[in-house]
PDB file of all heavy atoms in Angstrom:
ATOM      1  N   HIS A 125     -12.247   2.875  20.976  1.00 98.00           N
ATOM      2  CA  HIS A 125     -11.480   2.392  22.132  1.00 98.00           C
ATOM      3  C   HIS A 125     -11.459   0.871  22.123  1.00 98.00           C
ATOM      4  O   HIS A 125     -12.481   0.226  22.392  1.00 98.00           O
ATOM      5  CB  HIS A 125     -12.075   2.899  23.452  1.00 98.00           C
ATOM      6  CG  HIS A 125     -11.286   2.442  24.635  1.00 98.00           C
ATOM      7  ND1 HIS A 125     -10.223   3.144  25.153  1.00 98.00           N
ATOM      8  CD2 HIS A 125     -11.365   1.289  25.357  1.00 98.00           C
ATOM      9  CE1 HIS A 125      -9.697   2.463  26.151  1.00 98.00           C
ATOM     10  NE2 HIS A 125     -10.369   1.342  26.313  1.00 98.00           N
ATOM     11  N   ILE A 126     -10.303   0.319  21.824  1.00 98.00           N
ATOM     12  CA  ILE A 126     -10.057  -1.123  21.888  1.00 98.00           C
ATOM     13  C   ILE A 126      -8.877  -1.244  22.848  1.00 98.00           C
ATOM     14  O   ILE A 126      -7.830  -0.629  22.610  1.00 98.00           O
ATOM     15  CB  ILE A 126      -9.670  -1.691  20.505  1.00 98.00           C
ATOM     16  CG1 ILE A 126     -10.740  -1.360  19.450  1.00 98.00           C
ATOM     17  CG2 ILE A 126      -9.427  -3.199  20.586  1.00 98.00           C
ATOM     18  CD1 ILE A 126     -10.281  -1.559  18.001  1.00 98.00           C
ATOM     19  N   ALA A 127      -9.021  -1.968  23.941  1.00 98.00           N
ATOM     20  CA  ALA A 127      -7.991  -1.934  24.991  1.00 98.00           C
ATOM     21  C   ALA A 127      -6.686  -2.594  24.533  1.00 98.00           C
ATOM     22  O   ALA A 127      -5.604  -2.017  24.669  1.00 98.00           O
ATOM     23  CB  ALA A 127      -8.519  -2.579  26.263  1.00 98.00           C
ATOM     24  N   THR A 128      -6.781  -3.803  24.025  1.00 98.00           N
ATOM     25  CA  THR A 128      -5.575  -4.544  23.635  1.00 98.00           C
ATOM     26  C   THR A 128      -5.891  -5.391  22.397  1.00 98.00           C
ATOM     27  O   THR A 128      -7.060  -5.531  22.003  1.00 98.00           O
ATOM     28  CB  THR A 128      -5.079  -5.503  24.753  1.00 98.00           C
ATOM     29  OG1 THR A 128      -5.866  -6.698  24.723  1.00 98.00           O
ATOM     30  CG2 THR A 128      -5.160  -4.880  26.134  1.00 98.00           C
ATOM     31  N   THR A 129      -4.869  -6.011  21.842  1.00 98.00           N
ATOM     32  CA  THR A 129      -5.106  -6.900  20.698  1.00 98.00           C
ATOM     33  C   THR A 129      -5.982  -8.097  21.097  1.00 98.00           C
ATOM     34  O   THR A 129      -6.592  -8.720  20.236  1.00 98.00           O
ATOM     35  CB  THR A 129      -3.783  -7.418  20.102  1.00 98.00           C
ATOM     36  OG1 THR A 129      -3.020  -8.049  21.128  1.00 98.00           O
ATOM     37  CG2 THR A 129      -2.960  -6.293  19.494  1.00 98.00           C
ATOM     38  N   ASN A 130      -6.056  -8.390  22.399  1.00 98.00           N
ATOM     39  CA  ASN A 130      -6.928  -9.485  22.853  1.00 98.00           C
ATOM     40  C   ASN A 130      -8.404  -9.149  22.669  1.00 98.00           C
ATOM     41  O   ASN A 130      -9.258 -10.046  22.752  1.00 98.00           O
ATOM     42  CB  ASN A 130      -6.678  -9.796  24.334  1.00 98.00           C
ATOM     43  CG  ASN A 130      -5.308 -10.392  24.574  1.00 98.00           C
ATOM     44  OD1 ASN A 130      -4.720 -10.964  23.670  1.00 98.00           O
ATOM     45  ND2 ASN A 130      -4.799 -10.257  25.786  1.00 98.00           N
ATOM     46  N   ASP A 131      -8.700  -7.876  22.461  1.00 98.00           N
ATOM     47  CA  ASP A 131     -10.092  -7.436  22.344  1.00 98.00           C
ATOM     48  C   ASP A 131     -10.524  -7.242  20.888  1.00 98.00           C
ATOM     49  O   ASP A 131     -11.627  -6.762  20.636  1.00 98.00           O
ATOM     50  CB  ASP A 131     -10.273  -6.124  23.130  1.00 98.00           C
ATOM     51  CG  ASP A 131      -9.916  -6.319  24.587  1.00 98.00           C
ATOM     52  OD1 ASP A 131     -10.631  -7.059  25.263  1.00 98.00           O
ATOM     53  OD2 ASP A 131      -8.880  -5.771  25.030  1.00 98.00           O
ATOM     54  N   LEU A 132      -9.658  -7.604  19.950  1.00 98.00           N
ATOM     55  CA  LEU A 132      -9.998  -7.423  18.535  1.00 98.00           C
ATOM     56  C   LEU A 132     -11.080  -8.412  18.106  1.00 98.00           C
ATOM     57  O   LEU A 132     -11.081  -9.569  18.522  1.00 98.00           O
ATOM     58  CB  LEU A 132      -8.747  -7.610  17.669  1.00 98.00           C
ATOM     59  CG  LEU A 132      -7.762  -6.446  17.744  1.00 98.00           C
ATOM     60  CD1 LEU A 132      -6.440  -6.840  17.110  1.00 98.00           C
ATOM     61  CD2 LEU A 132      -8.340  -5.197  17.083  1.00 98.00           C
ATOM     62  N   GLU A 133     -11.954  -7.921  17.248  1.00 98.00           N
ATOM     63  CA  GLU A 133     -13.033  -8.747  16.696  1.00 98.00           C
ATOM     64  C   GLU A 133     -12.874  -8.786  15.185  1.00 98.00           C
ATOM     65  O   GLU A 133     -12.147  -7.986  14.596  1.00 98.00           O
ATOM     66  CB  GLU A 133     -14.387  -8.127  17.066  1.00 98.00           C
ATOM     67  CG  GLU A 133     -14.601  -8.044  18.571  1.00 98.00           C
ATOM     68  CD  GLU A 133     -15.853  -7.251  18.960  1.00 98.00           C
ATOM     69  OE1 GLU A 133     -16.671  -6.935  18.064  1.00 98.00           O
ATOM     70  OE2 GLU A 133     -15.975  -6.956  20.150  1.00 98.00           O
ATOM     71  N   GLU A 134     -13.614  -9.715  14.572  1.00 98.00           N
ATOM     72  CA  GLU A 134     -13.524  -9.875  13.123  1.00 98.00           C
ATOM     73  C   GLU A 134     -13.790  -8.551  12.397  1.00 98.00           C
ATOM     74  O   GLU A 134     -13.143  -8.215  11.409  1.00 98.00           O
ATOM     75  CB  GLU A 134     -14.516 -10.948  12.665  1.00 98.00           C
ATOM     76  CG  GLU A 134     -14.299 -11.390  11.237  1.00 98.00           C
ATOM     77  CD  GLU A 134     -15.198 -12.551  10.847  1.00 98.00           C
ATOM     78  OE1 GLU A 134     -15.852 -13.142  11.737  1.00 98.00           O
ATOM     79  OE2 GLU A 134     -15.252 -12.838   9.640  1.00 98.00           O
ATOM     80  N   ARG A 135     -14.717  -7.761  12.932  1.00 98.00           N
ATOM     81  CA  ARG A 135     -15.069  -6.497  12.273  1.00 98.00           C
ATOM     82  C   ARG A 135     -13.907  -5.487  12.294  1.00 98.00           C
ATOM     83  O   ARG A 135     -13.970  -4.470  11.622  1.00 98.00           O
ATOM     84  CB  ARG A 135     -16.320  -5.899  12.938  1.00 98.00           C
ATOM     85  CG  ARG A 135     -16.102  -5.445  14.370  1.00 98.00           C
ATOM     86  CD  ARG A 135     -17.407  -4.998  15.036  1.00 98.00           C
ATOM     87  NE  ARG A 135     -17.180  -4.700  16.432  1.00 98.00           N
ATOM     88  CZ  ARG A 135     -16.788  -3.516  16.878  1.00 98.00           C
ATOM     89  NH1 ARG A 135     -16.616  -2.524  16.043  1.00 98.00           N
ATOM     90  NH2 ARG A 135     -16.581  -3.327  18.169  1.00 98.00           N
ATOM     91  N   HIS A 136     -12.882  -5.739  13.079  1.00 98.00           N
ATOM     92  CA  HIS A 136     -11.737  -4.831  13.149  1.00 98.00           C
ATOM     93  C   HIS A 136     -10.659  -5.136  12.107  1.00 98.00           C
ATOM     94  O   HIS A 136      -9.669  -4.421  12.032  1.00 98.00           O
ATOM     95  CB  HIS A 136     -11.090  -4.888  14.549  1.00 98.00           C
ATOM     96  CG  HIS A 136     -11.961  -4.353  15.640  1.00 98.00           C
ATOM     97  ND1 HIS A 136     -12.254  -5.070  16.785  1.00 98.00           N
ATOM     98  CD2 HIS A 136     -12.602  -3.167  15.766  1.00 98.00           C
ATOM     99  CE1 HIS A 136     -13.034  -4.342  17.572  1.00 98.00           C
ATOM    100  NE2 HIS A 136     -13.266  -3.187  16.977  1.00 98.00           N
ATOM    101  N   GLU A 137     -10.845  -6.202  11.351  1.00 98.00           N
ATOM    102  CA  GLU A 137      -9.749  -6.629  10.461  1.00 98.00           C
ATOM    103  C   GLU A 137      -9.399  -5.572   9.420  1.00 98.00           C
ATOM    104  O   GLU A 137      -8.225  -5.313   9.146  1.00 98.00           O
ATOM    105  CB  GLU A 137     -10.088  -7.975   9.811  1.00 98.00           C
ATOM    106  CG  GLU A 137      -9.967  -9.108  10.819  1.00 98.00           C
ATOM    107  CD  GLU A 137     -10.329 -10.476  10.260  1.00 98.00           C
ATOM    108  OE1 GLU A 137     -10.592 -10.590   9.040  1.00 98.00           O
ATOM    109  OE2 GLU A 137     -10.348 -11.430  11.052  1.00 98.00           O
TER     110      GLU A 137
END
Side-chain angles (χ1 to χ4, degrees):
H125 181 89
I126 304 165
T128 80
T129 55
N130 292 337
D131 301 294
L132 286 168
E133 299 172 11
E134 192 174 350
R135 67 186 174 87
H136 293 127
E137 286 178 5

